[in-house]
């Protein structure tokens, strides 16, 4: 069973420059209350719960931890890091290539819907936080923008440190999956909170590693999650859109 997280070492390098205003902005943008519709997606978790693959706190924590370290969470983090760097450098061509790559990497119809619908919803609510980076993304995206690319460009446009932004993004990813699990199985709030506590060190470690990654580090080994997402497309009586 996953144990509650111990305090991780302080974030270093560029993440050490996180300002109070940046922290509030990250909390606002990545809050479950921000209108991107995250509550409507389970990332294939609904099928896995129905099939008995995920049944308790331990199996849930393992599932999400694997996604963060070896699956879609990791790939999102790499795409986020590259998009943040491209936006900070005002590299329109780079952002266009990353937006296209993110669209192409979705392994199933519902995964594509999940990331693109949330990315577009996020951008639609960015009017109060205009930036040159978001303008550059809008000019060069060439189609719907995946969620990690959108959030990365927004954080770069505000000058928010990459590693800190990644940590917040990955924590929000984990929170949304745990929230979905609470609606899918008799887990209980206390067990859900404990599952999140057990993922904190993983979130910070993945953010630290992804902040120093490149596109050659993309890759997924969580085939069970991809299969769950595909199977969900034909699942009878669904609560979630993915």
């Amino acid at each position: 069973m996953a144990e509650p997280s111990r305090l991780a070492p302080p974030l270093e390098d560029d993440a050490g420059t996180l300002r109070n205003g940046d922290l509030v902005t990250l909390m606002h943008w990545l809050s479950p209350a921000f209108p991107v519709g995250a509550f409507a997606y389970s990332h294939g978790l609904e099928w896995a719960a129905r099939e008995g693959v995920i049944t308790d706190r331990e199996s849930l924590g393992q599932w999400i931890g694997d996604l963060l370290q070896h699956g879609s969470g990791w790939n999102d983090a790499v795409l986020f890091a590259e998009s943040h760097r491209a936006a900070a450098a005002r590299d329109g061509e780079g952002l266009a290539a990353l937006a296209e790559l993110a669209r192409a990497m979705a392994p199933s119809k519902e995964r594509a819907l999940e990331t693109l619908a949330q990315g577009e919803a996020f951008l639609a609510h960015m009017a109060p936080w205009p930036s040159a980076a978001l303008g550059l993304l809008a000019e060069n995206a060439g189609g719907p923008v995946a969620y990690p690319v959108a959030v990365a460009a927004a954080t770069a446009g505000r000058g928010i440190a990459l590693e800190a932004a990644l940590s917040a993004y990955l924590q929000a990813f984990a929170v949304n999956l745990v929230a979905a699990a609470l609606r899918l199985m008799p887990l209980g709030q206390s067990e859900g909170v404990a599952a999140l506590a057990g993922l904190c060190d993983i979130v910070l470690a993945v953010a630290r590693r992804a902040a120093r990654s490149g596109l050659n580090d993309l890759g997924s080994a969580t085939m069970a999650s991809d299969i769950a997402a595909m199977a969900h497309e034909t699942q009878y009586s669904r609560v979630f859109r993915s």
Side-chain angles (χ1 to χ4, degrees), residues 130-222:
S131 70
L134 286 176
L136 195 65
L137 179 62
E139 292 170 9
N140 291 277
V145 178
Y147 193 38
V149 177
V151 180
T155 54
R158 296 283 291 183
I160 299 176
L162 170 57
E163 192 172 321
L166 269 169
S167 297
Y169 178 87
L170 293 172
Q171 176 68 4
F173 175 86
V175 166
N176 191 63
L177 290 183
V178 170
L182 291 176
R183 287 182 276 168
L184 291 168
M185 62 183 73
L187 194 64
Q189 294 285 351
S190 295
E191 290 289 273
V193 168
L196 283 172
L199 290 166
C200 286
D201 283 341
I202 293 175
V203 165
L204 292 173
V206 171
R208 186 172 291 115
R209 182 162 58 103
R212 293 152 180 78
S213 70
L215 292 181
N216 287 339
D217 297 303
L218 285 169
S220 172
T222 53

